[in-house]
Amino acid sequence: MELTERLAYLESVRDWQQLREELEKQISGTKSNEQKAQLHLRLGRLLDQQFLLGAKALKHFQDAYKLNPQLTESLEEARRIYWDLGKLNMVQKLLDLELKANPQGDVASALLLELADVLCDLDQYEQATPAYARSLGASGGKNSNASASLEDVQVVESGWDERVGELVRAANESTGDQKARLFLRAARILRRFQGAEATEGFLRQAYREAPTNQAAAALFESLLVDQKRFDEIERTQSEILAGVADAAQRVDLALAFGRRWAMRHQNPEIAAKFLEEALNRDPGNEAAFHKLAEIYGAKDRWNDVVKLGDRCIDAAHGDRDKLVFLLAEVGTVAWKHVGDLMRARNYFTQLKAIEPEHHQLKAFERQIGEELEAPGAPAPAAIPTRVSEPPARITPEPPAARVTPEPPAPP
């Protein structure tokens, strides 16, 4: 089986752990820098999106850029993670690198606007002013956000309160991201003349309006972290979730909050609370399940992982893709971590009926020395097999207690 086909197959059966191992194997065996850079980029995205291992993903994005400086997607991915970590100095450095590859046009205008905002948040107003001007120029004068923010940063002490009043009135007449941006602009002016602590009210309103806005999240949570008010962050997030009626949006928010608690605030207990919320509403959410398995497994709570998996399997009834993922993952946990072969056999027997060539299923069959028979299926010998059987899944070591490494230096 060709590499492209094999990777596509692993994605189709949601075998993310095997895909991770295959990408690591290919990286070590590939000589072409361009190909290796693409593999690093793909592995970084996998670690970040499916395992919520943003800090580990950063290393692969860094390697991808070093191997191929034209691969600016790696910088964009790394920048997003640094936003989640609240490390604005690193966001600034990556924006500078991206601008070298995109010095003109609309892309440059957007990057320069983001850079200017970050410079304001780092109290570097003298550098922010020309960045806003360059953003406006790169857009041919069309970037209204750059134009408005340029006026903000040029406000003098005698007129800042009037400008803030204008922004608040405009915010109260707006909704969504635009409302959040207006409150953020007001907060930046207030920070400049009154200090960071004076901005909490505006930052809270921006955060409540758009909790996934990178700047709102970074600034509001950083302010409370500096004051050691972690309980206030959790309470605010819970209130935001309670006010969201749309199920898909609620899942996304719960996942985002859980990710921040796991990666930025390094509090697995609170992370688990939000990840369970995401998984309860979306039982096949692979990222939430992987992270919860890691959190529970670090405390040797593998039986809880199996119980969680049982609830998800029941809720995902009829959804083939979700069932393939859950049956394989829960079966492997029951087999390798709980040591309950009979229970594992039940999960893999169900998996046999819908994905008879799955790697984890085949590995289990080799372990017990027999082929399982799918419910209601003919004898194993009569079950048709695929022409090309994918190689067996490498058995992973049980995960150690999670230790989030310090993010690496910028490329």
Side-chain angles (χ1 to χ4, degrees):
M1 181 181 290
E2 295 292 332
L3 175 62
T4 301
E5 294 177 352
R6 174 165 172 72
L7 297 181
Y9 169 78
L10 293 173
E11 286 186 342
S12 72
V13 296
R14 332 300 290 176
D15 193 346
W16 305 118
Q17 180 60 40
Q18 183 66 23
L19 178 60
R20 175 180 176 176
E21 293 168 2
E22 184 64 34
L23 288 169
E24 290 171 346
K25 176 183 174 182
Q26 293 299 322
I27 286 172
S28 63
T30 299
K31 294 182 179 180
S32 166
N33 282 351
E34 289 188 1
Q35 292 179 5
K36 188 175 290 189
Q38 287 289 348
L39 291 169
H40 274 296
L41 177 62
R42 187 167 183 176
L43 179 55
R45 285 171 170 165
L46 176 68
L47 291 171
D48 182 44
Q49 296 169 11
Q50 296 297 337
F51 294 92
L52 302 186
L53 294 172
K56 288 186 177 180
L58 279 172
K59 176 64 167 61
H60 292 285
F61 295 141
Q62 178 186 36
D63 289 343
Y65 179 72
K66 285 182 177 180
L67 289 166
N68 182 7
Q70 303 303 313
L71 198 63
T72 55
E73 298 100 313
S74 60
L75 295 176
E76 183 178 354
E77 296 285 0
R79 174 163 52 89
R80 181 175 49 79
I81 293 175
Y82 279 123
W83 269 117
D84 278 345
L85 290 169
K87 294 191 175 293
L88 300 188
N89 60 328
M90 297 301 300
V91 173
Q92 176 193 347
K93 292 179 180 180
L94 291 178
L95 284 166
D96 286 335
L97 288 173
E98 288 182 76
L99 281 164
K100 290 180 180 179
N102 299 281
Q104 298 178 341
D106 290 342
V107 173
S109 180
L111 292 173
L112 284 162
L113 176 61
E114 185 174 340
L115 175 61
D117 286 344
V118 170
L119 290 169
C120 285
D121 298 334
L122 291 171
D123 298 327
Q124 298 177 23
Y125 303 105
E126 290 185 1
Q127 294 91 331
T129 301
Y132 282 129
R134 289 172 59 200
S135 174
L136 184 60
S139 70
K142 297 178 181 178
N143 191 328
S144 59
N145 284 325
S147 177
S149 293
L150 179 59
E151 293 180 18
D152 291 346
V153 82
Q154 292 174 327
V155 167
V156 296
E157 188 167 1
S158 61
W160 69 264
D161 52 347
E162 181 179 350
R163 181 70 171 182
V164 167
E166 293 174 358
L167 291 172
V168 171
R169 287 190 291 273
N172 289 331
E173 296 175 358
S174 303
T175 58
D177 288 338
Q178 181 62 21
K179 184 172 185 175
R181 178 159 185 83
L182 287 165
F183 276 124
L184 284 170
R185 286 172 55 196
R188 289 184 176 115
I189 296 174
L190 197 61
R191 176 188 178 97
R192 180 181 174 192
F193 293 101
Q194 297 290 304
E197 292 187 1
T199 65
E200 181 177 335
F202 292 151
L203 292 179
R204 183 185 300 277
Q205 292 185 75
Y207 188 80
R208 284 184 174 276
E209 189 65 32
T212 57
N213 179 289
Q214 294 175 321
L219 296 175
F220 179 67
E221 292 188 23
S222 289
L223 183 65
L224 296 187
V225 166
D226 290 343
Q227 300 172 5
K228 302 188 184 304
R229 293 163 59 192
F230 293 95
D231 57 336
E232 182 69 14
I233 298 175
E234 180 186 1
R235 181 164 54 252
T236 301
Q237 291 172 338
S238 296
E239 291 171 356
I240 291 172
L241 273 179
V244 175
D246 182 79
Q249 184 182 2
R250 189 159 180 163
V251 169
D252 290 343
L253 274 179
L255 190 66
F257 292 155
R259 169 191 171 90
R260 284 184 215 152
W261 281 104
M263 185 171 68
R264 180 178 183 181
H265 306 308
Q266 299 187 40
N267 189 316
E269 289 76 19
I270 299 179
K273 167 190 168 181
F274 287 108
L275 293 172
E276 286 172 0
E277 165 81 8
L279 202 59
N280 286 337
R281 294 178 179 276
D282 179 13
N285 193 298
E286 297 153 346
F289 186 89
H290 274 141
K291 198 63 180 182
L292 282 169
E294 177 193 331
I295 291 171
Y296 292 164
K299 295 186 176 181
D300 201 26
R301 293 173 54 190
W302 293 110
N303 276 311
D304 288 340
V305 177
V306 174
K307 291 177 183 177
L308 180 69
D310 283 339
R311 294 201 303 272
C312 292
I313 289 169
D314 289 342
H317 181 72
D319 190 318
R320 182 188 181 282
D321 289 343
K322 291 180 179 180
L323 285 173
V324 168
F325 168 77
L326 289 166
L327 289 169
E329 291 297 317
V330 182
T332 300
V333 170
W335 165 28
K336 296 184 177 180
H337 299 293
V338 178
D340 189 337
L341 291 182
M342 292 304 296
R343 197 169 187 177
R345 185 187 185 102
N346 176 54
Y347 297 120
F348 285 119
T349 297
Q350 295 178 66
L351 181 60
K352 184 87 172 186
I354 53 179
E355 188 58 47
E357 301 300 325
H358 198 285
H359 291 83
Q360 286 155 288
L361 165 64
K362 289 298 182 182
F364 181 74
E365 289 179 330
R366 287 193 295 273
Q367 174 69 23
I368 64 175
E370 64 174 291
E371 287 192 23
L372 300 178
E373 182 176 343
I383 297 176
T385 59
R386 299 183 180 185
V387 176
S388 298
E389 178 182 330
R393 184 180 188 274
I394 300 172
T395 302
E397 291 294 329
R402 180 179 62 83
V403 177
T404 302
E406 285 295 320

